[in-house]
Amino acid sequence: MISELTEMLYKIDKNTNIRLVLLKGAGKSFSAGADLNWMKRMAHYNWNENFQDSLALASLLSALHGLTQPIIAVVQGSAYGGGVGLIAACDFAIASNKAKFCLSEVKLGLIPAVISPYVVRAMGERASKRYFISAETFDAYKAFELGLVSEVVPHSDLDTVVENMVQQIIANGPIAIAEAKKLIDKVSLGDINEEMIRDTAQKIADLRSSPEGKEGVSAFLEKRRPVWPDKESIVTDLAEVSDDELE
């Protein structure tokens, strides 16, 4: 399942008609932890097999995080182990008030190594230390407090809230959205220096001069909705997140 999801993300990234991606789980859980059959196989892996297996998950997380289109995790139920990493690798997450979360790896004598770059950036170093080493289960409101999810809604309202957010996002300029994602990654890790000052000034100048930027400003001044060039509003749901191999 991991390789299939990764390949699907690569294809989505190249499809300029897809405006937004939703990452969902099917059933009661978003991702309930490692699959028993996979754990039985893993118990007999040698070092190289474990390394290659972990690289596959790392590639999936990188594809999620680096996707050109915005990607929202829709968390309707429990997210354990690698499932928390999937959520953290998305741009943001909307969770049901019934959702539960757990970084459970240390219970198995393991660590959440591959997902850690995304989880630590989402939750912060201090909170990550607590939940990495305690393996406590925490609820959606705690996940919101920690920054893992951006909104918690009543379970019955989840689909409606997500749809409203989808419409809010796809009304905006697709190129501007993609550039905004790149901008956040760059400025969040860099120093505020002359290079960054010039780079950010260049980026806004480029967009102001682009067909999309000109259309957006014209639409605002003319009090009408913008018509973004050569774009259809297609929203894609990724397939159910499998519990297999997500530890």
Side-chain angles (χ1 to χ4, degrees):
M1 175 61 77
I2 286 179
S3 60
E4 287 86 350
L5 279 174
T6 305
E7 183 62 29
M8 188 185 303
L9 286 165
Y10 289 151
K11 291 179 180 178
I12 288 171
D13 192 73
K14 296 175 182 177
N15 188 334
T16 58
N17 286 326
I18 295 178
R19 295 290 315 278
L20 185 145
V21 178
L22 300 175
L23 181 64
K24 298 179 176 180
K28 293 183 178 180
S29 296
F30 178 81
S31 180
D35 176 77
L36 184 59
N37 290 326
W38 171 78
M39 291 185 70
K40 289 178 179 178
R41 295 196 306 272
M42 184 196 68
H44 300 287
Y45 282 178
N46 59 34
W47 186 93
N48 188 62
E49 288 171 326
N50 276 305
F51 180 64
Q52 294 302 322
D53 186 74
S54 298
L55 278 180
L57 176 57
S59 295
L60 171 59
L61 294 169
S62 177
L64 282 170
H65 181 73
L67 193 69
T68 299
Q69 298 90 339
I71 180 164
I72 305 170
V74 182
V75 188
Q76 88 288 8
S78 298
Y80 279 58
V84 177
L86 293 176
I87 294 166
C90 291
D91 293 323
F92 62 93
I94 300 174
S96 158
N97 61 346
K98 294 184 178 181
K100 302 289 184 183
F101 305 83
C102 183
L103 291 151
S104 54
E105 287 83 354
V106 292
K107 291 183 178 181
L108 304 176
L110 305 174
I111 57 173
V114 175
I115 67 174
S116 62
Y118 308 96
V119 177
V120 173
R121 285 181 72 173
M123 293 174 41
E125 179 184 351
R126 190 78 167 175
S128 295
K129 282 185 177 180
R130 170 174 173 167
Y131 291 100
F132 277 25
I133 66 178
S134 70
E136 297 169 78
T137 299
F138 53 98
D139 64 18
Y141 297 103
K142 176 58 72 171
F144 172 77
E145 179 185 325
L146 297 173
L148 181 62
V149 304
S150 61
E151 188 171 1
V152 180
V153 302
H155 188 76
S156 59
D157 295 341
L158 183 60
D159 289 343
T160 299
V161 172
V162 170
E163 178 58 27
N164 289 340
M165 179 56 68
V166 167
Q167 295 305 317
Q168 176 76 29
I169 291 173
I170 65 174
N172 303 322
I175 295 174
I177 289 172
E179 289 300 320
K181 289 183 58 172
K182 293 177 185 176
L183 178 67
I184 292 166
D185 279 340
K186 185 164 186 176
V187 302
S188 65
L189 298 175
D191 296 325
I192 302 176
N193 52 27
E194 183 64 25
E195 180 183 357
M196 180 176 287
I197 290 169
R198 292 188 63 83
D199 186 57
T200 53
Q202 180 180 332
K203 287 184 183 301
I204 188 60
D206 289 344
L207 285 173
R208 285 175 180 172
S209 303
S210 71
E212 182 174 294
K214 290 180 179 179
E215 168 61 15
V217 172
S218 295
F220 175 79
L221 294 174
E222 296 166 11
K223 298 181 179 180
R224 60 175 175 82
R225 290 186 178 183
V227 179
W228 305 121
D230 302 322
K231 292 287 180 181
E232 298 178 40
S233 295
I234 299 176
V235 177
T236 293
D237 287 2
L238 284 183
E240 174 187 0
V241 177
S242 171
D243 298 334
D244 188 26
E245 304 175 31
L246 288 180
E247 281 294 334

